[in-house]
Amino acid sequence: MKANPHIATLDAYALTDTSGGLISLAQNESLRPPSPHAIAVAATAAANAQLYSDPGWTKLRAAIAKVHAIDPEVILCGAGSMELIAALAGAYLGPNERALTTAHGYLFFRTATRIAGAQIDLVSEPDMTIDVDALAAAITPETRIVFIANPGNPTGTRIDIDALWRLRTSMPCDVMLVVDEAYGEFSDTGRADESTFNLIQAGNTVILRTLSKAYGLAGQRIGWGAFPLEIASEVRKVLNPNNISSVSLAMATAAMRDQNYMRETVQLTHERRVDFMERVRKTGIFIPESYANFALLQFSSDEQAGAADAALRECGLLARAMGGYGLANCLRVTVGDEAAMLRTSVCLERFMEGQT
Ligand SMILES: Cc1ncc(COP(=O)(O)O)c(C=O)c1O
């Protein structure tokens, strides 16, 4: 039996193969395990796994609402933020409609759009940074959603709150803006007047976050977002009613309540990223400023990036090749533990010495 044509012609979503025994710095996972409080509650939740999980995510929403000073009613939770991206596309995109994103933006925006039967348009990102004026100018009458990741993956760069407001106000009111802040905790300033959650009051604007990165819970699959109420009620219809397992919900709630641990992870990541980038930049490899838990290494050619990838593998390390993002001259390296970062920088130093 044939799948629908728009599915049959789609490639499966590409992830890096991490099965080869190399140290993976390829998936932007946290450099350390989740909060000990999250680990401690997992066994109790597992002991009650005969029961369905809470479909209203009540405790997790309350914890998120408290941390971010937002109304729990605007929050929806997903099995990873990917589920929420897919649900937004499923609820709001269809044949003959289009979504817009950036040239080097997160690939799942494209996949989710195509699964919904719609088309995706790309806008160039000069200097690896979102150009909000170019995005607004590229909106057509068919455009229904503008997806951006801020900070960007794989660029690591970000735009500030003023640029986000400029984007929102220069877009037609009936086009949805989805701001995916999967790496938001790494770039949060902590200033209430810079909170992006205020943007949802502009209408047709959604802010997405995840516990996969700064909270170290990628394997548990928990994302969330702040949605205008009318969008939340539509997206809810698309989500699986018990989408997050009870173990994941318990772990996520405990992790969210342990803000000190998360902030410590962010600080550690920041320090290690700065050290790593400093060492690697000295070798002549260009790295744009990063506000996330990874660095985008830009080589002088696609061939040099391929050779560096091979050299890293020889050193037992797995970076992420960026051809799929239109950046075949780049490798993305997640900030991992101290030994892995040292090994990576030493390996790259040797590699670049051999290039001259
Ligand atoms: C920009 C961006 N959004 C969403 C995700 C997926 O997050 P989740 O694990 O919450 O599905 C990722 C994962 O790497 C990402 O980079």
Side-chain angles (χ1 to χ4, degrees):
M1 185 173 172
K2 285 204 173 118
N4 292 333
H6 70 284
I7 302 296
T9 51
L10 201 67
D11 289 329
Y13 191 70
L15 291 170
T16 304
D17 178 8
T18 54
S19 64
L22 302 174
I23 298 169
S24 172
L25 300 174
Q27 300 207 100
N28 297 345
E29 292 146 334
S30 174
L31 48 66
R32 63 177 184 162
S35 155
H37 296 295
I39 297 168
V41 297
T44 313
N48 290 297
Q50 76 280 14
L51 304 174
Y52 280 109
S53 58
D54 173 11
W57 324 286
T58 318
K59 289 182 183 158
L60 177 57
R61 281 164 112 195
I64 295 169
K66 191 166 170 207
V67 166
H68 291 284
I70 50 179
D71 179 355
E73 284 300 305
V74 306
I75 297 169
L76 294 184
C77 301
S81 49
M82 290 175 99
E83 189 192 20
L84 297 172
I85 295 166
L88 281 161
Y92 289 95
L93 294 174
N96 305 320
E97 293 178 334
R98 311 187 75 87
L100 188 63
T101 191
T102 51
H104 311 306
Y106 181 47
L107 288 183
F108 192 66
F109 299 147
R110 307 178 198 185
T111 304
T113 298
R114 290 180 181 132
I115 289 173
Q119 306 291 319
I120 189 92
D121 294 315
L122 304 177
V123 174
S124 73
E125 274 183 281
D127 304 327
M128 302 275 185
T129 307
I130 295 170
D131 178 343
V132 295
D133 301 314
L135 263 178
I139 292 171
T140 69
E142 288 77 42
T143 309
R144 294 208 76 203
I145 301 183
V146 174
F147 287 111
I148 57 171
N150 191 42
N153 172 21
T155 60
T157 60
R158 71 156 176 211
I159 55 171
D160 65 16
I161 186 72
D162 294 340
L164 283 170
W165 275 106
R166 194 163 86 246
L167 175 59
R168 178 63 270 181
T169 49
S170 52
M171 285 170 53
C173 301
D174 60 350
V175 176
M176 190 188 300
L177 173 62
V178 177
V179 185
D180 176 349
E181 297 187 335
Y183 304 93
E185 288 79 7
F186 297 102
S187 73
D188 271 342
T189 61
R191 285 181 47 177
D193 61 332
E194 294 189 346
S195 166
T196 49
F197 298 106
N198 298 333
L199 275 161
I200 70 165
Q201 285 149 20
N204 278 341
T205 307
V206 173
I207 309 292
L208 299 177
R209 291 237 171 172
T210 180
L211 278 85
S212 295
K213 310 297 175 183
Y215 292 91
L217 282 166
Q220 293 298 318
R221 314 301 305 123
I222 312 121
W224 63 275
F227 297 71
L229 291 178
E230 63 281 9
I231 296 178
S233 63
E234 300 301 332
V235 170
R236 224 174 209 288
K237 296 178 194 168
V238 183
L239 297 174
N240 182 328
N242 301 96
N243 58 349
I244 307 184
S245 81
S246 43
V247 175
S248 294
L249 278 178
M251 292 185 80
T253 306
M256 189 55 65
R257 288 177 184 155
D258 192 355
Q259 287 293 300
N260 285 341
Y261 186 89
M262 185 278 286
R263 279 196 215 104
E264 210 176 84
T265 303
V266 166
Q267 183 59 27
L268 252 178
T269 306
H270 173 78
E271 287 165 12
R272 207 164 285 161
R273 189 191 65 221
V274 168
D275 281 354
F276 174 73
M277 284 174 46
E278 205 175 285
R279 274 191 81 151
V280 175
R281 278 172 170 163
K282 282 191 189 138
T283 69
I285 298 168
F286 177 77
I287 308 180
E289 207 40 72
S290 170
Y291 296 88
N293 67 341
F294 56 83
L296 186 71
L297 279 49
Q298 199 175 333
F299 294 85
S300 56
S301 65
D302 299 1
E303 293 68 31
Q304 193 182 49
D309 193 11
L312 287 169
R313 285 170 192 262
E314 282 288 306
C315 295
L317 297 155
L318 186 63
R320 180 80 184 259
M322 290 284 110
Y325 285 87
L327 294 168
N329 62 332
C330 295
L331 295 178
R332 193 191 64 202
V333 175
T334 305
V335 178
D337 69 33
E338 203 172 357
M341 298 326 281
L342 184 62
R343 197 196 285 204
T344 307
S345 49
V346 169
C347 184
L348 288 168
E349 279 161 6
R350 279 202 212 113
F351 170 76
M352 290 302 283
E353 272 163 30
Q355 295 293 297
T356 50

